[in-house]
Amino acid sequence: RAAGVVTVPGNTTLEAGTVMGKITASGKFVRHDSGASNGSQTEAGVLTKTLKNDTSSPVDIDVTMIVRDSEVDGNQLIYEDGANAAAMTASNTALAALGIIVKEAT
């Protein structure tokens, strides 16, 4: 685990288990988006607690996240919007490269 800053968009809840990317320019974590080109297209960790923003503007929240050397329950992960099985497998592979092993229920 490591400390980080998550930017939560306005009127948004990011659930614990959300796969996160990291914006290169700011170093802040946001929800993973494979179609982005700002750094968030690369998986960088998993959110460990639910973050809710009831305001209309983005807010930055200090959190502790899973960023390396861990096992997570794949059934509890929340992938990017519209992720199909291939996208989920690709995210799991990218997380494994960080040492985050995704375990599936048997």
Side-chain angles (χ1 to χ4, degrees):
R1 296 181 186 233
V5 176
V6 172
T7 300
V8 182
N11 299 309
T12 299
T13 299
L14 296 175
E15 299 289 336
T18 299
V19 177
M20 304 297 286
K22 189 174 185 180
I23 305 229
T24 305
S26 67
K28 295 176 182 176
F29 291 90
V30 294
R31 188 169 183 185
H32 169 252
D33 179 359
S34 62
S37 60
N38 61 2
S40 66
Q41 72 274 14
T42 302
E43 294 83 347
V46 176
L47 195 58
T48 58
K49 68 182 234 178
T50 298
L51 303 176
K52 186 173 185 176
N53 178 5
D54 288 330
T55 72
S56 60
S57 300
V59 295
D60 291 339
I61 301 173
D62 293 323
V63 298
T64 300
M65 293 185 32
I66 297 170
V67 296
R68 64 183 166 274
D69 303 328
S70 183
E71 288 186 1
V72 295
D73 181 350
N75 296 306
Q76 300 298 317
L77 290 182
I78 300 169
Y79 298 92
E80 67 180 313
D81 287 336
N84 60 19
M88 291 178 196
T89 298
S91 283
N92 293 350
T93 300
L95 291 171
L98 299 172
I100 302 171
I101 306 306
V102 178
K103 296 288 189 177
E104 300 293 333
T106 57

Coordinates of all heavy atoms in Angstrom, one line a residue:
R1 N 0.8 -1.2 0.0 CA 0.0 0.0 0.0 C 0.9 1.2 0.0 O 2.0 1.2 0.4 CB -0.9 0.0 1.2 CG -1.9 -1.1 1.2 CD -2.8 -1.1 2.4 NE -3.6 -2.3 2.4 CZ -4.9 -2.3 2.5 NH1 -5.6 -1.1 2.6 NH2 -5.6 -3.4 2.5
A2 N 0.3 2.3 -0.5 CA 1.0 3.6 -0.5 C 0.0 4.7 -0.4 O -1.1 4.6 -0.9 CB 1.9 3.7 -1.7
A3 N 0.4 5.8 0.1 CA -0.4 7.0 0.1 C -0.4 7.7 -1.3 O 0.5 7.6 -2.0 CB 0.1 8.0 1.1
G4 N -1.6 8.3 -1.6 CA -1.7 8.9 -2.9 C -2.9 9.9 -2.8 O -3.6 10.0 -1.8
V5 N -3.1 10.6 -3.9 CA -4.2 11.6 -4.0 C -5.1 11.1 -5.1 O -4.6 10.9 -6.2 CB -3.7 13.0 -4.2 CG1 -4.8 14.0 -4.4 CG2 -2.8 13.5 -3.1
V6 N -6.3 11.0 -4.8 CA -7.3 10.6 -5.9 C -8.2 11.8 -6.2 O -8.7 12.5 -5.3 CB -8.2 9.4 -5.4 CG1 -9.3 9.2 -6.4 CG2 -7.4 8.2 -5.1
T7 N -8.3 12.1 -7.5 CA -9.2 13.1 -7.9 C -10.6 12.5 -8.3 O -10.6 11.6 -9.1 CB -8.7 13.9 -9.2 OG1 -7.4 14.5 -8.8 CG2 -9.6 14.9 -9.7
V8 N -11.6 12.9 -7.5 CA -12.9 12.3 -7.7 C -13.7 13.4 -8.4 O -13.9 14.5 -8.0 CB -13.6 12.0 -6.4 CG1 -15.0 11.4 -6.6 CG2 -12.7 11.0 -5.5
P9 N -14.2 13.0 -9.6 CA -15.1 14.0 -10.4 C -16.3 14.4 -9.6 O -16.8 13.7 -8.7 CB -15.4 13.2 -11.7 CG -14.4 12.1 -11.8 CD -14.1 11.8 -10.4
G10 N -16.9 15.6 -10.0 CA -18.1 16.0 -9.3 C -19.2 15.0 -9.5 O -19.3 14.3 -10.4
N11 N -20.0 15.0 -8.4 CA -21.2 14.1 -8.3 C -20.9 12.7 -8.7 O -21.6 12.0 -9.5 CB -22.3 14.7 -9.2 CG -22.7 16.0 -8.8 OD1 -23.0 16.2 -7.6 ND2 -22.7 17.0 -9.7
T12 N -19.8 12.1 -8.2 CA -19.3 10.8 -8.5 C -18.9 10.0 -7.2 O -18.4 10.6 -6.3 CB -18.1 10.9 -9.4 OG1 -18.4 11.6 -10.6 CG2 -17.5 9.5 -9.8
T13 N -19.2 8.7 -7.3 CA -18.7 7.8 -6.2 C -17.8 6.8 -6.9 O -18.1 6.2 -7.9 CB -19.9 7.1 -5.5 OG1 -20.7 8.1 -4.9 CG2 -19.4 6.1 -4.5
L14 N -16.6 6.7 -6.3 CA -15.6 5.7 -6.7 C -15.7 4.6 -5.7 O -15.3 4.9 -4.5 CB -14.2 6.2 -6.9 CG -14.0 7.3 -8.0 CD1 -12.6 7.8 -8.0 CD2 -14.3 6.7 -9.4
E15 N -16.1 3.4 -6.0 CA -16.2 2.3 -5.1 C -14.9 1.7 -4.7 O -13.9 1.7 -5.6 CB -17.1 1.2 -5.6 CG -18.5 1.7 -5.9 CD -19.4 2.0 -4.7 OE1 -19.0 1.4 -3.6 OE2 -20.3 2.8 -4.8
A16 N -14.7 1.2 -3.5 CA -13.6 0.4 -3.2 C -13.4 -0.7 -4.2 O -14.4 -1.3 -4.6 CB -13.7 -0.2 -1.8
G17 N -12.2 -1.0 -4.6 CA -12.0 -2.0 -5.7 C -11.9 -1.5 -7.1 O -11.6 -2.2 -8.0
T18 N -12.0 -0.1 -7.2 CA -11.9 0.5 -8.5 C -10.5 0.4 -9.0 O -9.6 0.8 -8.2 CB -12.4 1.9 -8.5 OG1 -13.8 1.9 -8.1 CG2 -12.3 2.6 -9.9
V19 N -10.3 0.0 -10.2 CA -8.9 0.0 -10.8 C -8.6 1.4 -11.2 O -9.4 2.1 -11.9 CB -8.9 -0.9 -12.1 CG1 -7.5 -0.9 -12.7 CG2 -9.2 -2.4 -11.7
M20 N -7.4 1.9 -10.8 CA -7.1 3.3 -10.9 C -5.9 3.5 -11.9 O -5.0 2.6 -12.0 CB -6.7 3.9 -9.6 CG -7.8 3.7 -8.5 SD -9.3 4.6 -8.9 CE -8.7 6.3 -8.5
G21 N -5.8 4.6 -12.5 CA -4.7 5.0 -13.3 C -4.1 6.2 -12.6 O -4.6 6.7 -11.6
K22 N -3.0 6.7 -13.1 CA -2.3 7.8 -12.5 C -1.9 8.9 -13.6 O -1.2 8.5 -14.5 CB -1.0 7.3 -11.8 CG -0.3 8.3 -10.9 CD 0.8 7.7 -10.2 CE 1.5 8.6 -9.2 NZ 2.6 7.9 -8.5
I23 N -2.4 10.1 -13.4 CA -2.1 11.2 -14.3 C -0.6 11.5 -14.2 O -0.1 11.8 -13.2 CB -3.0 12.4 -14.0 CG1 -4.4 12.0 -14.0 CG2 -2.6 13.5 -14.9 CD1 -5.4 12.7 -14.8
T24 N 0.1 11.4 -15.4 CA 1.5 11.7 -15.4 C 1.9 13.1 -14.9 O 2.8 13.2 -14.1 CB 2.0 11.4 -16.8 OG1 1.6 10.1 -17.3 CG2 3.5 11.6 -16.9
A25 N 1.2 14.1 -15.4 CA 1.6 15.5 -15.1 C 1.4 15.8 -13.6 O 2.2 16.6 -13.0 CB 0.8 16.4 -16.0
S26 N 0.3 15.3 -13.0 CA 0.0 15.7 -11.6 C 0.4 14.6 -10.6 O 0.5 15.0 -9.4 CB -1.5 16.0 -11.5 OG -2.2 14.8 -11.6
G27 N 0.5 13.4 -11.0 CA 0.8 12.3 -10.1 C -0.4 11.9 -9.3 O -0.4 11.1 -8.4
K28 N -1.6 12.4 -9.6 CA -2.9 12.1 -9.0 C -3.5 10.9 -9.6 O -3.4 10.7 -10.8 CB -3.8 13.2 -9.0 CG -3.3 14.4 -8.2 CD -4.2 15.6 -8.3 CE -3.6 16.8 -7.5 NZ -4.4 18.0 -7.7
F29 N -4.2 10.1 -8.8 CA -4.9 8.9 -9.3 C -6.3 9.3 -9.7 O -6.9 10.1 -9.1 CB -5.0 7.8 -8.2 CG -3.6 7.2 -7.8 CD1 -2.8 7.8 -6.8 CD2 -3.2 6.1 -8.5 CE1 -1.6 7.2 -6.5 CE2 -1.9 5.5 -8.2 CZ -1.2 6.1 -7.2
V30 N -6.7 8.6 -10.8 CA -8.1 8.7 -11.3 C -8.5 7.4 -11.7 O -7.7 6.4 -11.9 CB -8.2 9.7 -12.5 CG1 -7.9 11.2 -12.0 CG2 -7.3 9.3 -13.6
R31 N -9.8 7.2 -12.0 CA -10.3 5.9 -12.5 C -9.6 5.6 -13.8 O -9.4 6.4 -14.7 CB -11.8 6.0 -12.8 CG -12.4 4.6 -13.1 CD -13.8 4.6 -13.1 NE -14.3 3.3 -13.3 CZ -15.6 2.9 -13.5 NH1 -16.5 3.8 -13.3 NH2 -15.9 1.7 -13.7
H32 N -9.1 4.3 -14.0 CA -8.4 3.9 -15.2 C -9.3 4.1 -16.4 O -10.5 3.8 -16.4 CB -8.1 2.4 -15.0 CG -7.6 1.7 -16.3 ND1 -8.4 0.9 -17.0 CD2 -6.4 1.9 -16.9 CE1 -7.7 0.5 -18.0 NE2 -6.5 1.1 -18.0
D33 N -8.7 4.6 -17.5 CA -9.3 4.8 -18.7 C -8.4 4.4 -19.9 O -7.5 5.2 -20.2 CB -9.8 6.3 -18.8 CG -10.5 6.6 -20.1 OD1 -10.6 5.7 -21.0 OD2 -10.9 7.8 -20.3
S34 N -8.6 3.3 -20.5 CA -7.7 2.8 -21.5 C -7.6 3.7 -22.7 O -6.7 3.6 -23.5 CB -8.0 1.3 -21.9 OG -9.3 1.3 -22.5
G35 N -8.6 4.5 -22.9 CA -8.7 5.4 -24.1 C -8.0 6.7 -23.8 O -7.9 7.5 -24.7
A36 N -7.5 7.0 -22.6 CA -6.9 8.3 -22.3 C -5.4 8.3 -22.8 O -4.9 7.3 -23.2 CB -6.9 8.5 -20.8
S37 N -4.8 9.5 -22.7 CA -3.4 9.6 -23.1 C -2.7 10.5 -22.1 O -1.6 11.0 -22.4 CB -3.3 10.2 -24.5 OG -3.9 11.5 -24.6
N38 N -3.2 10.6 -20.9 CA -2.6 11.4 -19.9 C -1.9 10.6 -18.7 O -1.5 11.2 -17.7 CB -3.7 12.3 -19.2 CG -4.8 11.5 -18.6 OD1 -4.8 10.3 -18.5 ND2 -5.8 12.2 -18.1
G39 N -1.8 9.3 -18.9 CA -1.2 8.4 -17.9 C -2.3 7.5 -17.3 O -1.9 6.4 -16.9
S40 N -3.5 8.0 -17.3 CA -4.6 7.2 -16.7 C -4.9 5.9 -17.5 O -5.7 5.1 -17.1 CB -5.8 8.0 -16.4 OG -6.4 8.4 -17.6
Q41 N -4.4 5.8 -18.7 CA -4.6 4.7 -19.5 C -3.8 3.4 -19.0 O -4.1 2.3 -19.5 CB -4.3 4.9 -21.0 CG -2.8 5.0 -21.3 CD -2.2 6.4 -21.1 OE1 -2.8 7.3 -20.5 NE2 -1.0 6.7 -21.6
T42 N -2.9 3.7 -18.1 CA -2.1 2.6 -17.5 C -2.6 2.3 -16.1 O -2.6 3.2 -15.3 CB -0.6 3.0 -17.5 OG1 -0.2 3.3 -18.9 CG2 0.3 1.9 -17.0
E43 N -2.9 1.0 -15.8 CA -3.3 0.7 -14.5 C -2.2 1.0 -13.5 O -1.0 0.7 -13.7 CB -3.6 -0.8 -14.4 CG -4.8 -1.2 -15.3 CD -4.6 -1.4 -16.7 OE1 -3.5 -1.1 -17.2 OE2 -5.4 -2.0 -17.4
A44 N -2.6 1.6 -12.4 CA -1.6 2.0 -11.4 C -1.9 1.6 -10.0 O -1.1 1.8 -9.1 CB -1.4 3.5 -11.4
G45 N -3.1 1.0 -9.8 CA -3.4 0.5 -8.4 C -4.9 0.2 -8.3 O -5.6 0.3 -9.3
V46 N -5.3 -0.1 -7.0 CA -6.6 -0.4 -6.7 C -7.1 0.4 -5.5 O -6.4 0.4 -4.5 CB -6.8 -1.9 -6.4 CG1 -8.2 -2.3 -6.0 CG2 -6.4 -2.8 -7.6
L47 N -8.2 1.0 -5.6 CA -8.8 1.8 -4.5 C -9.2 0.9 -3.4 O -9.9 -0.1 -3.6 CB -9.9 2.6 -5.1 CG -10.5 3.8 -4.3 CD1 -9.4 4.8 -4.0 CD2 -11.6 4.4 -5.0
T48 N -8.9 1.3 -2.1 CA -9.2 0.4 -1.0 C -10.4 0.9 -0.2 O -10.9 0.2 0.6 CB -8.0 0.4 0.0 OG1 -7.7 1.7 0.4 CG2 -6.8 -0.3 -0.7
K49 N -10.9 2.1 -0.5 CA -12.1 2.5 0.2 C -13.0 3.3 -0.8 O -12.5 3.9 -1.8 CB -11.8 3.3 1.5 CG -11.2 4.7 1.2 CD -10.8 5.4 2.5 CE -11.5 6.7 2.6 NZ -11.2 7.4 3.8
T50 N -14.2 3.4 -0.5 CA -15.2 4.1 -1.3 C -15.0 5.6 -1.1 O -14.9 6.1 0.1 CB -16.6 3.7 -1.0 OG1 -16.7 2.3 -1.4 CG2 -17.6 4.5 -1.8
L51 N -15.0 6.4 -2.2 CA -14.8 7.8 -2.1 C -16.0 8.5 -2.8 O -16.4 8.1 -3.9 CB -13.5 8.3 -2.8 CG -12.2 7.7 -2.3 CD1 -11.1 8.2 -3.2 CD2 -12.0 8.0 -0.9
K52 N -16.7 9.4 -2.1 CA -17.9 10.0 -2.7 C -17.7 11.5 -2.7 O -17.2 12.2 -1.8 CB -19.1 9.7 -1.8 CG -20.4 10.2 -2.4 CD -21.6 9.6 -1.6 CE -22.9 10.1 -2.2 NZ -24.0 9.5 -1.5
N53 N -18.1 12.1 -3.9 CA -18.0 13.6 -4.0 C -19.4 14.0 -4.4 O -19.9 13.8 -5.5 CB -17.0 13.9 -5.1 CG -16.9 15.4 -5.4 OD1 -17.6 16.2 -4.7 ND2 -16.2 15.8 -6.4
D54 N -20.1 14.7 -3.5 CA -21.4 15.2 -3.7 C -21.4 16.6 -4.3 O -22.5 17.2 -4.5 CB -22.2 15.2 -2.4 CG -22.6 13.8 -2.0 OD1 -22.7 12.9 -2.8 OD2 -22.7 13.6 -0.7
T55 N -20.3 17.2 -4.6 CA -20.2 18.6 -5.1 C -20.2 18.5 -6.6 O -20.0 17.4 -7.2 CB -19.0 19.3 -4.6 OG1 -17.8 18.8 -5.3 CG2 -18.8 19.2 -3.1
S56 N -20.3 19.6 -7.3 CA -20.3 19.6 -8.7 C -18.9 19.8 -9.3 O -18.8 19.7 -10.6 CB -21.2 20.8 -9.3 OG -20.7 22.0 -8.8
S57 N -17.9 20.0 -8.5 CA -16.6 20.1 -8.9 C -15.7 18.9 -8.5 O -16.0 18.3 -7.5 CB -16.0 21.4 -8.4 OG -16.7 22.5 -8.8
P58 N -14.6 18.6 -9.2 CA -13.7 17.6 -8.8 C -13.1 17.9 -7.4 O -12.9 19.1 -7.1 CB -12.6 17.5 -9.9 CG -13.2 18.3 -11.0 CD -14.2 19.3 -10.5
V59 N -12.8 16.9 -6.6 CA -12.1 17.1 -5.4 C -11.0 16.1 -5.3 O -11.1 15.0 -5.8 CB -13.0 17.0 -4.1 CG1 -14.1 18.1 -4.1 CG2 -13.7 15.6 -4.0
D60 N -9.9 16.5 -4.6 CA -8.8 15.7 -4.4 C -8.9 15.1 -2.9 O -9.1 15.9 -2.0 CB -7.5 16.4 -4.5 CG -7.2 16.8 -6.0 OD1 -7.8 16.2 -6.9 OD2 -6.4 17.7 -6.2
I61 N -8.7 13.8 -2.8 CA -8.8 13.1 -1.5 C -7.6 12.3 -1.3 O -7.2 11.5 -2.1 CB -10.1 12.2 -1.4 CG1 -11.3 13.1 -1.7 CG2 -10.1 11.5 -0.1 CD1 -12.6 12.3 -1.8
D62 N -6.9 12.5 -0.1 CA -5.8 11.7 0.3 C -6.2 10.3 0.7 O -7.2 10.2 1.5 CB -5.0 12.4 1.5 CG -4.4 13.7 1.1 OD1 -3.9 13.8 -0.1 OD2 -4.4 14.6 1.9
V63 N -5.6 9.3 0.2 CA -6.0 7.9 0.5 C -4.8 7.0 0.5 O -3.7 7.4 0.1 CB -6.9 7.3 -0.6 CG1 -8.2 8.1 -0.7 CG2 -6.3 7.3 -2.0
T64 N -5.0 5.8 1.0 CA -4.0 4.8 0.9 C -4.6 3.8 -0.1 O -5.7 3.4 0.0 CB -3.8 4.1 2.3 OG1 -3.4 5.0 3.2 CG2 -2.8 2.9 2.2
M65 N -3.7 3.4 -1.0 CA -4.2 2.5 -2.1 C -3.3 1.3 -2.2 O -2.1 1.4 -1.8 CB -4.1 3.3 -3.5 CG -5.1 4.4 -3.6 SD -5.2 5.1 -5.2 CE -4.8 3.9 -6.3
I66 N -3.8 0.3 -2.9 CA -2.9 -0.9 -3.2 C -2.2 -0.5 -4.5 O -2.9 -0.3 -5.5 CB -3.8 -2.1 -3.4 CG1 -4.5 -2.5 -2.1 CG2 -2.9 -3.3 -3.9 CD1 -5.5 -3.6 -2.2
V67 N -0.9 -0.5 -4.4 CA -0.1 -0.2 -5.6 C 1.0 -1.2 -6.0 O 1.6 -1.1 -7.0 CB 0.5 1.2 -5.5 CG1 -0.5 2.3 -5.4 CG2 1.5 1.3 -4.3
R68 N 1.1 -2.2 -5.1 CA 2.2 -3.2 -5.3 C 2.0 -4.4 -4.4 O 1.3 -4.3 -3.3 CB 3.6 -2.6 -5.2 CG 3.9 -2.2 -3.8 CD 5.2 -1.5 -3.7 NE 5.3 -0.8 -2.4 CZ 4.9 0.4 -2.2 NH1 4.4 1.1 -3.2 NH2 5.0 1.0 -1.1
D69 N 2.6 -5.5 -4.7 CA 2.7 -6.7 -3.8 C 1.5 -7.0 -3.0 O 1.5 -6.8 -1.7 CB 4.0 -6.5 -2.9 CG 5.2 -6.3 -3.7 OD1 5.3 -6.8 -4.8 OD2 6.1 -5.6 -3.3
S70 N 0.5 -7.4 -3.6 CA -0.8 -7.7 -2.9 C -1.6 -8.7 -3.7 O -1.3 -8.9 -4.9 CB -1.6 -6.4 -2.7 OG -2.7 -6.7 -2.0
E71 N -2.5 -9.3 -3.1 CA -3.5 -10.2 -3.7 C -4.9 -9.5 -3.6 O -5.2 -9.0 -2.5 CB -3.6 -11.6 -3.2 CG -2.4 -12.4 -3.5 CD -2.5 -13.9 -3.1 OE1 -3.6 -14.2 -2.5 OE2 -1.6 -14.6 -3.3
V72 N -5.7 -9.4 -4.6 CA -7.0 -8.8 -4.6 C -8.0 -9.8 -5.1 O -7.7 -10.7 -6.0 CB -7.1 -7.5 -5.3 CG1 -6.2 -6.5 -4.6 CG2 -6.7 -7.6 -6.8
D73 N -9.2 -9.7 -4.7 CA -10.3 -10.6 -5.2 C -10.9 -10.0 -6.5 O -11.4 -8.9 -6.5 CB -11.4 -10.6 -4.1 CG -12.6 -11.5 -4.5 OD1 -12.7 -11.9 -5.7 OD2 -13.4 -11.7 -3.6
G74 N -10.7 -10.7 -7.6 CA -11.1 -10.2 -8.9 C -12.6 -10.0 -9.0 O -13.1 -9.1 -9.7
N75 N -13.4 -10.7 -8.1 CA -14.8 -10.5 -8.1 C -15.2 -9.1 -7.5 O -16.3 -8.7 -7.6 CB -15.5 -11.6 -7.4 CG -15.3 -12.9 -8.1 OD1 -15.6 -13.0 -9.3 ND2 -14.8 -13.9 -7.4
Q76 N -14.3 -8.5 -6.8 CA -14.5 -7.2 -6.1 C -14.0 -6.0 -6.9 O -14.2 -4.9 -6.5 CB -13.9 -7.2 -4.7 CG -14.5 -8.3 -3.8 CD -16.0 -8.2 -3.6 OE1 -16.5 -7.1 -3.4 NE2 -16.7 -9.3 -3.7
L77 N -13.3 -6.3 -8.0 CA -12.7 -5.2 -8.8 C -13.7 -4.5 -9.6 O -14.7 -5.2 -10.2 CB -11.6 -5.7 -9.7 CG -10.3 -6.1 -9.0 CD1 -9.2 -6.6 -10.0 CD2 -9.7 -5.1 -8.1
I78 N -13.6 -3.2 -9.8 CA -14.4 -2.4 -10.7 C -13.6 -1.9 -11.8 O -12.7 -1.1 -11.5 CB -15.1 -1.3 -9.9 CG1 -16.0 -1.9 -8.8 CG2 -16.0 -0.4 -10.8 CD1 -16.5 -0.9 -7.8
Y79 N -13.8 -2.3 -13.0 CA -13.0 -1.9 -14.1 C -13.6 -0.7 -14.8 O -14.7 -0.2 -14.4 CB -12.9 -3.1 -15.1 CG -12.3 -4.3 -14.6 CD1 -13.0 -5.3 -13.9 CD2 -10.9 -4.5 -14.6 CE1 -12.4 -6.5 -13.4 CE2 -10.3 -5.6 -14.1 CZ -11.1 -6.6 -13.5 OH -10.5 -7.7 -12.9
E80 N -12.9 -0.2 -15.8 CA -13.4 1.0 -16.5 C -14.7 0.7 -17.1 O -15.1 -0.4 -17.4 CB -12.4 1.4 -17.6 CG -12.2 0.5 -18.7 CD -11.2 0.9 -19.7 OE1 -11.3 2.1 -20.2 OE2 -10.4 0.1 -20.1
D81 N -15.5 1.8 -17.3 CA -16.8 1.6 -18.0 C -16.7 0.9 -19.3 O -15.8 1.2 -20.1 CB -17.5 3.0 -18.2 CG -17.9 3.6 -16.9 OD1 -18.2 2.9 -15.9 OD2 -18.1 4.9 -16.9
G82 N -17.6 -0.1 -19.5 CA -17.6 -0.8 -20.8 C -16.6 -1.9 -20.9 O -16.5 -2.4 -22.0
A83 N -15.8 -2.2 -19.9 CA -14.8 -3.2 -20.0 C -15.4 -4.5 -20.3 O -16.3 -5.0 -19.6 CB -13.9 -3.2 -18.7
N84 N -14.9 -5.2 -21.4 CA -15.3 -6.5 -21.7 C -14.3 -7.5 -21.1 O -13.3 -7.1 -20.4 CB -15.5 -6.7 -23.2 CG -14.2 -6.5 -23.9 OD1 -13.1 -6.5 -23.4 ND2 -14.3 -6.3 -25.2
A85 N -14.5 -8.8 -21.3 CA -13.6 -9.8 -20.7 C -12.1 -9.6 -21.1 O -11.2 -9.7 -20.3 CB -14.0 -11.2 -21.1
A86 N -11.9 -9.2 -22.4 CA -10.5 -9.0 -22.9 C -9.9 -7.8 -22.1 O -8.7 -7.8 -21.8 CB -10.5 -8.8 -24.4
A87 N -10.7 -6.7 -21.9 CA -10.2 -5.5 -21.2 C -9.9 -5.9 -19.8 O -8.9 -5.4 -19.2 CB -11.2 -4.4 -21.3
M88 N -10.7 -6.7 -19.2 CA -10.5 -7.1 -17.8 C -9.2 -7.9 -17.7 O -8.4 -7.7 -16.7 CB -11.7 -7.9 -17.2 CG -12.9 -7.0 -17.0 SD -14.3 -8.0 -16.5 CE -15.6 -6.9 -16.8
T89 N -9.0 -8.8 -18.6 CA -7.8 -9.7 -18.6 C -6.6 -8.8 -18.8 O -5.6 -9.0 -18.1 CB -7.9 -10.7 -19.7 OG1 -9.0 -11.6 -19.4 CG2 -6.6 -11.6 -19.8
A90 N -6.7 -7.8 -19.7 CA -5.5 -6.9 -19.9 C -5.2 -6.1 -18.6 O -4.1 -5.9 -18.3 CB -5.8 -6.0 -21.1
S91 N -6.3 -5.6 -17.9 CA -6.1 -4.9 -16.7 C -5.4 -5.8 -15.6 O -4.5 -5.4 -14.9 CB -7.4 -4.3 -16.1 OG -7.7 -3.2 -16.9
N92 N -5.9 -7.0 -15.5 CA -5.4 -8.0 -14.6 C -3.9 -8.2 -14.8 O -3.1 -8.3 -13.9 CB -6.2 -9.3 -14.6 CG -7.6 -9.1 -14.0 OD1 -7.9 -8.1 -13.5 ND2 -8.4 -10.1 -14.2
T93 N -3.5 -8.3 -16.1 CA -2.1 -8.6 -16.5 C -1.3 -7.3 -16.1 O -0.2 -7.5 -15.6 CB -2.0 -8.8 -18.0 OG1 -2.8 -10.0 -18.3 CG2 -0.6 -9.0 -18.4
A94 N -1.8 -6.1 -16.4 CA -1.1 -4.9 -16.0 C -0.9 -4.8 -14.5 O 0.1 -4.4 -14.0 CB -1.8 -3.7 -16.6
L95 N -2.0 -5.2 -13.7 CA -1.9 -5.1 -12.3 C -0.8 -6.2 -11.8 O 0.0 -5.9 -10.9 CB -3.2 -5.4 -11.6 CG -4.3 -4.3 -11.8 CD1 -5.6 -4.8 -11.3 CD2 -3.8 -3.0 -11.1
A96 N -0.8 -7.3 -12.4 CA 0.2 -8.3 -12.1 C 1.6 -7.8 -12.3 O 2.5 -8.2 -11.5 CB 0.0 -9.6 -12.9
A97 N 1.8 -7.0 -13.3 CA 3.2 -6.4 -13.5 C 3.6 -5.5 -12.3 O 4.8 -5.3 -12.1 CB 3.2 -5.7 -14.8
L98 N 2.6 -5.0 -11.6 CA 2.9 -4.2 -10.4 C 3.0 -5.0 -9.1 O 3.3 -4.5 -8.1 CB 1.7 -3.2 -10.2 CG 1.5 -2.2 -11.3 CD1 0.2 -1.4 -11.0 CD2 2.7 -1.2 -11.4
G99 N 2.8 -6.3 -9.3 CA 2.8 -7.2 -8.1 C 1.4 -7.4 -7.5 O 1.3 -8.0 -6.4
I100 N 0.4 -6.9 -8.1 CA -1.0 -7.0 -7.6 C -1.6 -8.2 -8.3 O -1.9 -8.1 -9.5 CB -1.8 -5.7 -7.9 CG1 -1.1 -4.5 -7.2 CG2 -3.2 -5.9 -7.4 CD1 -1.7 -3.2 -7.6
I101 N -1.7 -9.3 -7.6 CA -2.2 -10.5 -8.2 C -3.8 -10.6 -8.0 O -4.3 -10.5 -6.9 CB -1.6 -11.7 -7.5 CG1 -0.1 -11.6 -7.6 CG2 -2.1 -13.0 -8.2 CD1 0.5 -11.4 -9.0
V102 N -4.5 -10.8 -9.1 CA -5.9 -10.8 -9.1 C -6.3 -12.3 -9.0 O -6.1 -13.1 -9.8 CB -6.5 -10.2 -10.4 CG1 -8.0 -10.3 -10.3 CG2 -6.1 -8.7 -10.5
K103 N -7.0 -12.6 -7.9 CA -7.5 -13.9 -7.6 C -8.9 -14.0 -8.0 O -9.7 -13.1 -7.6 CB -7.3 -14.3 -6.2 CG -5.9 -14.4 -5.7 CD -5.2 -15.6 -6.3 CE -3.8 -15.8 -5.7 NZ -3.2 -17.0 -6.2
E104 N -9.3 -15.0 -8.7 CA -10.7 -15.3 -9.1 C -11.3 -16.3 -8.2 O -10.6 -17.2 -7.8 CB -10.8 -15.7 -10.6 CG -10.2 -14.7 -11.6 CD -11.0 -13.4 -11.6 OE1 -12.2 -13.4 -11.4 OE2 -10.4 -12.4 -11.9
A105 N -12.6 -16.2 -8.0 CA -13.3 -17.2 -7.2 C -13.3 -18.5 -7.9 O -13.4 -18.6 -9.1 CB -14.7 -16.8 -6.9
T106 N -13.2 -19.6 -7.2 CA -13.2 -21.0 -7.8 C -14.5 -21.7 -7.5 O -15.2 -21.3 -6.6 CB -12.0 -21.8 -7.3 OG1 -12.0 -21.9 -5.9 CG2 -10.7 -21.2 -7.8

